[in-house]
Amino acid sequence: MTEALAAGVGVEVLEQFESEAQQRRAGILGMWSWLLTELLLFAGLFLIAVVLRVQYPDSVHQAVAHLKFWIGATNTAILIVSSLTMSTAIELSRLGHQRLMVRAMLATVALGTAFILLKSYEYYVDYVEHMTPFLNRPFELADDRPATLFVNLYWVTTALHAFHLITGVTILVIMALQARAEGYLRRHQNRIEIYGLYWHFIDLIWIMVFPILYVIGR
Amino acid sequence: MFELGLSAGEKRKLMARMRVPLFSFIALMGLLAVNVLLGATLPFPQVWIVQLLVLATMVAVVLLFSMEVLHEPPLIRLFSVLGFCWVGILFAMTLIDYLTR
Amino acid sequence: MTTTAYRDTAVPHGTIDAPDDYLHVTHTLRSWLLTTDHKRIGILYLIAITGFFIIGAIAAGLVRLALVVPDGSIFTNDTYNKLFTIHGVVMVWFFLIPSIPATFGNFLLPIMIGTKDLAFPRLNLLSWYIFMSGALFAMAAVVAGGIDTGWTFYAPFSTTYSNGYVILALVGVIVVGFSSILTGLNFVVTVHTMRAPGMTWFRMPIFVWTIYATSLIFLLATPVITIALILLVMERAFQIGIFDPALGGDPVLFEHLFWFYSHPAVYIMVLPGMGVISEIVPAFSQKRIFGYKFIAYATIALATITFFVWGHHMFVNGQSEYASMSFSFLSFAVAVPSAVKVYNWTATIHKGDLRLDTPMLYAMGYIGLFVLGGLTGLFLATLAIDEHVHDTYYVVAHFHYIMVGGTMLAFLGGLHYWWPKFTGRMYNEAWGRVSALLLFVGFNVTFFPQFLLGYLGMPRRYHVYPPEFQLLNILSSAGATILAVGYIFPMVYLLWSLWFGKRAPDNPWDAKGLEWMTTSPPPLHNFKTPPVVDFEPYDYALKVPERD
């Protein structure tokens, strides 16, 4: 970030670093390195989706037709709004407006939670509509084996994303509570920036999941 | 919730800083709307190509603007694309198998 | 507006505290188990991997015992399968992969670039605890009854037919993967952001280059096997079917995901060894390393090209011909940077002031055995030959030449080279040389016959074989006993040296490098005053005047 920080906003330098600038650079690079690994984790699942589409386009079409397109679309919108609130929190942290920043963080928590709730509802509807091949229930597409594979892939991918989102929301709640402390922005402003990158990336992954599973091949 | 408690000067500073995030937000929602529309109406069979391009644009917007990669030093820019390049290797070399079976 | 940094202003900037070295500054068990000092964490890893090495070696010993008779009468089939699986899983994930990076890398990386510690010391400690947790799961699987899938966990055997504790073992490997990822992350960030003033990229020792490249592979490759193994767990628990042909899935898809990581993984095992050799050879030739930039670039080239060749493990498994051809061609390409390094080491030794101390004996052994292993890799990359020797002992011999003849020798060479720095003690040189020679002889007697066995057609992972192969098998097993002695000796004399060895000077080898400019062992923050680097790496005085 090239914009200057407000007076009194900064970082308490840890023992192993020589300067605040070094610590900031290390934190940002560290988070990007972590995000690299998250991308490659999901890439394996995206690869399987592509391979199934290449091999069994009709079966995948059948499976996709049973996914909850509009719930997925709404959830994508929710996460995009949450990215806006997270960006707001970052800008507020740079300007030193601590209380407003905490509110923006909590707004992000609320939106992330909304996603989880809507996703849970979606899973429930899937369950009711017999779209759970891995359970001992009658399954809607039982005679189409590749379609079954794609549906299972949908469950694994969205569950893994939801796991990351729940983890992210939990960390954000804890951070928001810590961020209310006196002098937090004087000592730990970079944490908001570093965490913000992670939140944007959770959004990014979902922005890829939605078209790859729900949209392409409808 | 929305009572900001900021002075006029502070509000202006905040609005100036929020221009890029707001642009990102509007762009992403717009692109999402395009993909949702295409997915709901399916105007032509090769529509998936357009949908993938829209997806790529959304990814670029998140990286460059929301995650501020545009303003980061070259090393961070490299790391932000490196992962995608490696995903490319995974996809390309595996698809050589599946596309030529 | 400038930002403000908060440091204790009573401590003058630029001086480092604690006159005592890192080993003696605190003594309690708590101070070790809660340390954030990269040097202590390196030692914690060293102790851990030694323990796992012993477990993996015992499994290997039992395998070689079983192969002394051709009728498979010593162990049941199930037990034999479990033995080679345990050997593979433990040696790959709990010994070889962490060996050099987590021990030497942790200890030496900050020192070699002139800084106080890694970028994230607490994360470093967490890495070690994650490593031990993963090991706990894997050991639980072994104790509970073991797994028989081979370290490669191929579906659908691992997912559908195996009766072992597969999920437990998979969880162990998944967890230990996070340890690698976090260590790699720490190293990458440290090299980019914490180099001392004047320490440019091309002034760093080659060892740092190789650890950096290895760390990139940790980040880029490990997550893919994480997802592959998670899918295996899902497959086994919920029959999701993606890799199961009976449910319409494709087992080759698992292999693509598995080997996308596991081929670069072998470079995780190879690159740090190359880094160690690149430190030992100049020191014991008292000569600047030949072609520094070539070696640095070759390191990055290896770390890149390695991601393009994984299909050479799958030539006969059902992938398309075009895929096989592409992977074969690229596998030839990946051999080039390795060869470059071998030429550079050899050129460094040429006309150097050669001293055949223990570390150099290991290094010379490494160069020879790595060449043999690498050349046989080229044979395996050739489609027509691989058709014949895939899944035979030829492959087993090839990778043991690289893993043991290469990485293990590099590990032992580095352990001896840096032992004075880690511990402040010298080991007994005579015992060192004897052990190195024993290892070299034992290794070749064990593994060279396996090339012959494989070429003659003996499959791997079988303990029942045609009786005409028995002589070579007995020879191989006999070699394994010599190898065992070669391993046991260093464990004894190195341990002995901790109490009775001569006190080591700062620089017992007259070597160049920042680690030799501080005390043996180093103080808590590595240097009494933070270094400023204004010298090139390996700046040995030229003994032979350069020709124009």
Side-chain angles (χ1 to χ4, degrees):
Chain A
M1 41 121 254
T2 49
E3 289 142 6
L5 301 169
V9 171
V11 177
E12 186 176 37
V13 180
L14 296 166
E15 195 188 358
Q16 67 270 21
F17 292 111
E18 296 293 331
S19 70
E20 176 177 331
Q22 189 187 53
Q23 181 165 335
R24 280 183 179 275
R25 271 200 324 268
I28 300 287
L29 185 62
M31 180 49 79
W32 275 105
S33 302
W34 174 252
L35 296 178
L36 264 180
T37 69
E38 296 278 36
L39 178 64
L40 278 148
L41 185 73
F42 280 91
L45 295 170
F46 295 151
L47 176 70
I48 297 177
V50 170
V51 166
L52 286 176
R53 282 180 196 284
V54 163
Q55 290 191 304
Y56 310 109
D58 296 320
S59 295
V60 169
H61 176 70
Q62 281 302 311
V64 173
H66 281 82
L67 295 181
K68 311 297 172 289
F69 177 80
W70 291 103
I71 299 183
T74 310
N75 261 342
T76 314
I78 290 176
L79 279 189
I80 294 175
V81 176
S82 79
S83 268
L84 178 63
T85 54
M86 192 67 222
S87 292
T88 310
I90 294 174
E91 295 301 342
L92 287 167
S93 78
R94 289 171 181 166
L95 290 169
H97 301 314
Q98 187 178 11
R99 264 180 37 240
L100 282 175
M101 173 194 78
V102 173
R103 285 200 219 157
M105 289 164 82
L106 291 173
T108 313
V109 167
L111 288 161
T113 311
F115 181 104
I116 296 295
L117 291 172
L118 194 52
K119 186 79 210 146
S120 307
Y121 172 70
E122 182 185 0
Y123 278 162
Y124 170 72
V125 174
D126 285 328
Y127 176 81
V128 159
E129 290 185 2
H130 303 290
M131 285 292 289
T132 53
F134 53 90
L135 292 176
N136 251 339
R137 275 170 71 77
F139 170 57
E140 189 68 26
L141 295 164
D143 51 347
D144 187 344
R145 289 188 321 182
T148 312
L149 303 185
F150 194 85
V151 171
N152 278 325
L153 182 70
Y154 151 81
W155 278 93
V156 174
T157 309
T158 54
L160 189 64
H161 176 266
F163 169 74
H164 280 84
L165 188 57
I166 293 172
T167 309
V169 165
T170 309
I171 296 175
L172 188 54
V173 166
I174 296 172
M175 269 184 74
L177 294 174
Q178 288 178 335
R180 294 175 313 169
E182 156 71 44
Y184 184 86
L185 281 177
R186 216 179 350 115
R187 298 195 315 273
H188 298 304
Q189 187 273 338
N190 65 334
R191 287 186 186 177
I192 313 296
E193 310 236 4
I194 293 169
Y195 183 82
L197 287 175
Y198 184 67
W199 188 264
H200 284 303
F201 210 75
I202 296 179
D203 185 17
L204 185 77
I205 295 289
W206 182 260
I207 283 174
M208 292 192 281
V209 168
F210 175 61
I212 290 176
L213 291 183
Y214 291 80
V215 181
I216 297 174
R218 251 169 81 85
Chain B
M1 179 69 209
F2 296 108
E3 183 250 84
L4 294 179
L6 298 175
S7 71
E10 287 173 333
K11 266 201 207 132
R12 260 185 292 117
K13 258 202 209 154
L14 180 61
M15 280 303 120
R17 301 273 188 125
M18 287 301 295
R19 269 191 291 132
V20 169
L22 278 166
F23 158 74
S24 280
F25 171 71
I26 293 168
L28 289 171
M29 291 299 255
L31 290 164
L32 176 65
V34 169
N35 255 353
V36 169
L37 197 64
L38 291 176
T41 59
L42 298 167
F44 51 92
Q46 263 63 269
V47 71
W48 60 272
I49 300 176
V50 180
Q51 289 165 342
L52 276 177
L53 286 169
V54 169
L55 166 59
T57 314
M58 287 175 85
V59 168
V61 168
V62 173
L63 286 176
L64 291 171
F65 300 106
S66 302
M67 298 176 82
E68 299 179 327
V69 166
L70 209 55
H71 294 295
E72 293 282 10
L75 181 65
I76 299 294
R77 288 197 225 175
L78 176 66
F79 269 64
S80 70
V81 295
L82 194 67
F84 290 97
C85 294
W86 251 247
V87 173
I89 299 174
L90 174 67
F91 273 50
M93 301 300 290
T94 307
L95 285 174
I96 289 181
D97 179 16
Y98 284 97
L99 291 174
T100 58
R101 282 200 187 172
Chain C
M1 276 287 148
T2 53
T3 58
T4 34
Y6 290 82
R7 281 179 88 253
D8 182 356
T9 49
V11 177
H13 190 84
T15 55
I16 311 294
D17 54 353
D20 297 68
D21 63 64
Y22 81 100
L23 273 177
H24 300 102
V25 63
T26 47
H27 284 105
T28 61
L29 185 64
R30 203 192 133 103
S31 73
W32 275 89
L33 293 179
L34 291 178
T35 183
T36 55
D37 179 358
H38 65 100
K39 300 182 288 297
R40 285 197 169 192
I41 293 174
I43 301 297
L44 287 175
Y45 270 107
L46 181 61
I47 297 169
I49 65 165
T50 305
F52 297 125
F53 173 75
I54 291 172
I55 295 173
I58 290 173
L62 292 172
V63 166
R64 282 312 329 161
L65 177 65
L67 290 171
V68 162
V69 291
D71 59 0
S73 53
I74 295 184
F75 295 114
T76 64
N77 290 342
D78 255 348
T79 306
Y80 185 75
N81 293 346
K82 290 176 181 179
L83 284 172
F84 67 70
T85 303
I86 291 168
H87 171 67
V89 168
V90 170
M91 285 305 201
V92 168
W93 279 299
F94 297 98
F95 176 67
L96 281 167
I97 284 178
S99 61
I100 296 173
T103 56
F104 306 161
N106 258 317
F107 196 106
L108 293 163
L109 188 84
I111 300 179
M112 283 182 169
I113 61 172
T115 188
K116 283 184 248 178
D117 207 313
L118 290 177
F120 309 118
R122 286 171 298 186
L123 198 67
N124 201 13
L125 183 66
L126 182 66
S127 287
W128 185 77
Y129 276 104
I130 294 176
F131 177 75
M132 297 305 281
S133 306
L136 202 69
F137 279 103
M139 291 305 114
V142 170
V143 165
I147 41 167
D148 59 354
T149 58
W151 78 278
T152 47
F153 293 114
Y154 275 9
F157 181 68
S158 62
T159 55
T160 314
Y161 302 101
S162 168
N163 292 321
Y165 288 85
V166 178
I167 292 186
L168 205 51
L170 286 173
V171 168
V173 177
I174 292 169
V175 168
V176 92
F178 284 104
S179 164
S180 320
I181 286 174
L182 293 175
T183 298
L185 188 157
N186 227 332
F187 287 169
V188 165
V189 175
T190 305
V191 172
H192 275 292
T193 61
M194 294 181 72
R195 283 168 286 132
M199 177 59 79
T200 60
W201 279 84
F202 289 121
R203 283 182 178 171
M204 295 193 313
I206 293 292
F207 180 72
V208 177
W209 278 92
T210 60
I211 294 294
Y212 175 76
T214 304
S215 302
L216 285 176
I217 302 179
F218 275 141
L219 291 178
L220 293 166
T222 316
V224 178
I225 200 181
T226 306
I227 195 68
L229 298 182
I230 289 175
L231 286 167
L232 274 190
V233 172
M234 293 293 116
E235 187 87 46
R236 199 166 162 84
F238 298 112
Q239 291 84 53
I240 58 173
I242 293 176
F243 305 135
D244 188 347
L247 297 171
D250 187 358
V252 176
L253 190 52
F254 169 76
E255 293 177 32
H256 277 299
L257 290 172
F258 177 84
W259 287 111
F260 180 85
Y261 161 81
S262 296
H263 185 81
V266 313
Y267 284 81
I268 289 174
M269 297 185 256
V270 156
L271 277 169
M274 292 176 160
V276 172
I277 301 306
S278 303
E279 298 304 313
I280 294 177
V281 165
F284 291 87
S285 314
Q286 287 289 299
K287 192 157 160 273
R288 203 172 301 159
I289 203 165
F290 184 89
Y292 172 94
K293 279 198 179 167
F294 270 89
I295 305 187
Y297 289 133
T299 303
I300 301 299
L302 272 175
T304 310
I305 306 177
T306 190
F307 279 94
F308 287 86
V309 303
W310 79 81
H312 67 224
H313 299 270
M314 298 159 58
F315 284 152
V316 298
N317 293 8
Q319 72 182 3
S320 78
E321 279 176 10
Y322 295 101
S324 291
M325 286 192 281
S326 315
F327 283 119
S328 170
F329 177 76
L330 289 159
S331 302
F332 275 81
V334 84
V336 174
S338 308
V340 165
K341 293 190 175 221
V342 172
Y343 295 137
N344 281 323
W345 295 322
T346 322
T348 308
I349 299 173
H350 177 61
K351 292 207 174 156
D353 188 8
L354 196 57
R355 286 158 20 210
L356 291 174
D357 295 310
T358 305
M360 191 57 168
L361 287 178
Y362 280 114
M364 307 271 271
Y366 175 101
I367 296 173
L369 297 176
F370 178 77
V371 166
L372 220 76
L375 287 175
T376 53
L378 285 171
F379 292 147
L380 288 166
T382 311
L383 288 171
I385 298 182
D386 188 71
E387 193 81 34
H388 178 66
V389 296
H390 174 75
D391 262 353
T392 68
Y393 262 85
Y394 194 90
V395 179
V396 175
H398 156 72
F399 65 70
H400 281 93
Y401 263 76
I402 305 278
M403 294 298 129
V404 183
T407 305
M408 186 72 203
L409 288 201
F411 175 75
L412 288 171
L415 190 62
H416 285 77
Y417 181 53
W418 283 303
W419 187 259
K421 186 57 56 182
F422 296 163
T423 64
R425 302 278 184 168
M426 298 298 293
Y427 55 85
N428 182 293
E429 179 61 27
W431 279 109
R433 290 184 186 175
V434 163
S435 304
L437 286 168
L438 270 175
L439 264 164
F440 186 82
V441 168
F443 171 82
N444 280 296
V445 175
T446 309
F447 289 106
F448 196 83
Q450 294 184 7
F451 279 125
L452 304 174
L453 279 168
Y455 194 72
L456 290 170
M458 179 172 171
R460 63 186 287 198
R461 295 178 171 172
Y462 278 46
H463 69 146
V464 176
Y465 57 82
E468 57 262 32
F469 293 154
Q470 186 176 19
L471 184 60
L472 285 171
N473 269 295
I474 291 178
L475 192 57
S476 177
S477 298
T481 56
I482 306 174
L483 204 53
V485 174
Y487 287 135
I488 291 173
F489 279 4
M491 290 185 201
V492 173
Y493 66 72
L494 286 175
L495 214 58
W496 186 92
S497 78
L498 289 177
W499 286 274
F500 306 110
K502 262 194 345 228
R503 287 213 171 271
D506 286 2
N507 192 355
W509 314 117
D510 251 329
K512 300 292 182 189
L514 277 171
E515 75 267 34
W516 304 110
M517 297 183 189
T518 186
T519 54
S520 299
L524 193 60
H525 282 153
N526 301 333
F527 301 97
K528 288 254 167 14
T529 48
V532 173
V533 177
D534 57 358
F535 46 86
E536 298 303 308
Y538 313 105
D539 55 343
Y540 294 92
L542 290 171
K543 294 288 166 66
V544 177
E546 277 191 335
R547 295 202 202 144
D548 313 297

